[in-house]
Amino acid sequence: EVQLVESGGGLVQPGGSLRLSCAASGFTFSSYWMHWVRQAPGKGLVWVSRINSDGSSTTYADSVKGRFTISRDNAKNTLYLQMDSLRAEDTAVYYCASSPNRGGLDYWGQGNLVTVFS
Amino acid sequence: QSALTQPRSVSGSPGQSVTISCTGTSSDVGGYNYVSWYQQHPGKVPKLIIYDVSKRPSGVPDRFSGSKSGNTASLTISGLQAEDEADYYCCSYAGSYTWVFGGGTKLTVL
């Protein structure tokens, strides 16, 4: 059974940092691209970032470029999102998701709430 | 990276068909055959129901179908059932290894 288990969310003040983790099991993690998608309370889904299967290529939404860093450790089957210089508008549930290519995001984590408050 | 345009809400009676549109540009929806659709029930995780414009993952009923014409993709749900009431999001590859979601559509089964 495919599982993506997220951890690391919580409360942080503006300007602070947080690192999310996403532990994968049940599939060949090292063969998949991975993404982070967020959803602000009561709002829609927003794509945040993507990393290719070996970690050599990363891309970001303009809203987080320069502040967030996606990475992965294929030996540990784990995806990360380092979030720096956090803003109130970054408050959201963050989902990790897998994709075999440029198509659909086929498996999703349970979501992890990040709240940036002053 | 502007969000794709979806209607805020659609509705239909059990047994009927509904179609949700998703309008983008030639840089995303119109430029690639990488449109996907997600179903999200309240408080739940999004679920992939259509990928590559019209393909269904295993386990997704064939009542769900997808298509694309120009810069607009569409999700059609036929034989509406009460359990189909949910939010639906489209997503498109937008080039340079970026993706963009639509704003979401709330489906109400009357």
Side-chain angles (χ1 to χ4, degrees), chain B residues 7 14 17 34-35 44 71 91-92 103-104:
Chain B
S17 294
Y34 291 118
V35 176
K44 300 297 186 181
N71 296 337
C91 179
S92 176

Side-chain angles (χ1 to χ4, degrees), chain A residues 33 35 37 39 43-47 50 57 59-63 95 99 101-106 108-111, chain B residues 1 32 34 36 38 40 43-48 50-52 87 89 91 93 96-104:
Chain A
W33 296 2
H35 302 254
V37 175
Q39 186 170 33
K43 302 297 185 181
L45 301 173
V46 176
W47 176 80
R50 157 257 169 202
S57 171
T59 45
Y60 301 91
D62 288 343
S63 58
Y95 296 99
S99 69
N101 50 37
R102 286 173 284 182
L105 280 59
D106 51 3
W108 294 63
Q110 84 280 7
Chain B
Q1 295 181 344
Y32 308 94
Y34 291 118
S36 51
Y38 302 85
Q40 186 180 34
K44 300 297 186 181
V45 175
K47 174 188 175 184
L48 176 68
I50 295 288
Y51 68 100
D52 294 356
D87 294 325
Y89 295 90
C91 179
Y93 178 69
S96 301
Y97 299 108
T98 65
W99 283 257
V100 60
F101 279 91

Side-chain angles (χ1 to χ4, degrees), chain A residues 20-35:
Chain A
L20 302 181
S21 299
C22 171
S25 61
F27 66 108
T28 307
F29 179 73
S30 59
S31 296
Y32 278 70
W33 296 2
M34 295 296 296
H35 302 254

Side-chain angles (χ1 to χ4, degrees), chain A residues 36-100:
Chain A
W36 289 99
V37 175
R38 70 185 182 184
Q39 186 170 33
K43 302 297 185 181
L45 301 173
V46 176
W47 176 80
V48 172
S49 181
R50 157 257 169 202
I51 187 167
N52 70 343
S53 57
D54 67 5
S56 62
S57 171
T58 60
T59 45
Y60 301 91
D62 288 343
S63 58
V64 306
K65 200 175 295 182
R67 300 188 299 121
F68 289 12
T69 303
I70 190 172
S71 62
R72 65 191 297 162
D73 185 336
N74 284 346
K76 294 182 178 180
N77 285 350
T78 302
L79 172 73
Y80 303 99
L81 184 68
Q82 176 67 40
M83 303 184 292
D84 298 321
S85 302
L86 282 161
R87 306 166 180 167
E89 55 264 36
D90 296 318
T91 294
V93 172
Y94 285 74
Y95 296 99
C96 60
S98 62
S99 69

